[in-house]
Amino acid sequence: AFSHQITRLFTRQLFSYRTTLDESALVPVPDVAAEVPTVAGGGVSPDGRRYRIRLRAGVLWDTDPPRPVTAADFVRGFKRMANPVAGAGAIRYYTSTIRGMAEFAEGYRRAFAGRSASAADLAGYQNAHGIAGLSTDGDGVLVIDLIRPANDLLNLLAMMFASPAPVEYD
């Protein structure tokens, strides 16, 4: 099996790809997102720099008791990408696209340069610092502000790096 097939068993993203053998497998489709955001539907700003992504209801974490996956869980997942101990391999895609992501990643790296960090230390940094271009509108809407329009944003959000992370992981 390919690694992405295995990872798909335990992680989900806002968008994903159909498991078909035709060209439709190359087009991101909603997974945890309720729909593909558009300018006409109000999910994308006219200048293409702000996305409002509504989450699908009924997506739950395997917690006790189960709880809904929230927009804040996606923000937490983006923050974890910049973890200076074990960060995402493709973070440059996100730091060059999402407003404030590069500054967050650099600050995170500087905060732990030359010293050991516990999981609690790393979670503390993430919880105390924000990313300017990521916010929530309640539990069910993730707002992403871009540096410039990006016609591949849905592809970036379909990558496994962009998985949510539950607060229980902290």
Side-chain angles (χ1 to χ4, degrees), residues 8 19 23 29 40 50 57 79 90 93 95 99 108-109 111 120 127 131 141-142 150 152 155 158 164 167:
R8 173 89 170 142
T19 54
E23 66 277 352
V29 295
R50 173 170 273 193
K79 289 179 176 183
Y93 291 130
T95 58
R99 190 171 59 81
Y108 203 171
R109 187 193 60 71
N127 291 330
I131 297 172
V141 177
L142 176 65
D152 62 349
N155 301 88
V167 67

Side-chain angles (χ1 to χ4, degrees), residues 114-137:
R115 67 182 184 103
S116 297
S118 69
D121 293 334
L122 297 168
Y125 184 88
Q126 291 170 184
N127 291 330
H129 297 84
I131 297 172
L134 293 175
S135 61
T136 65
D137 185 358

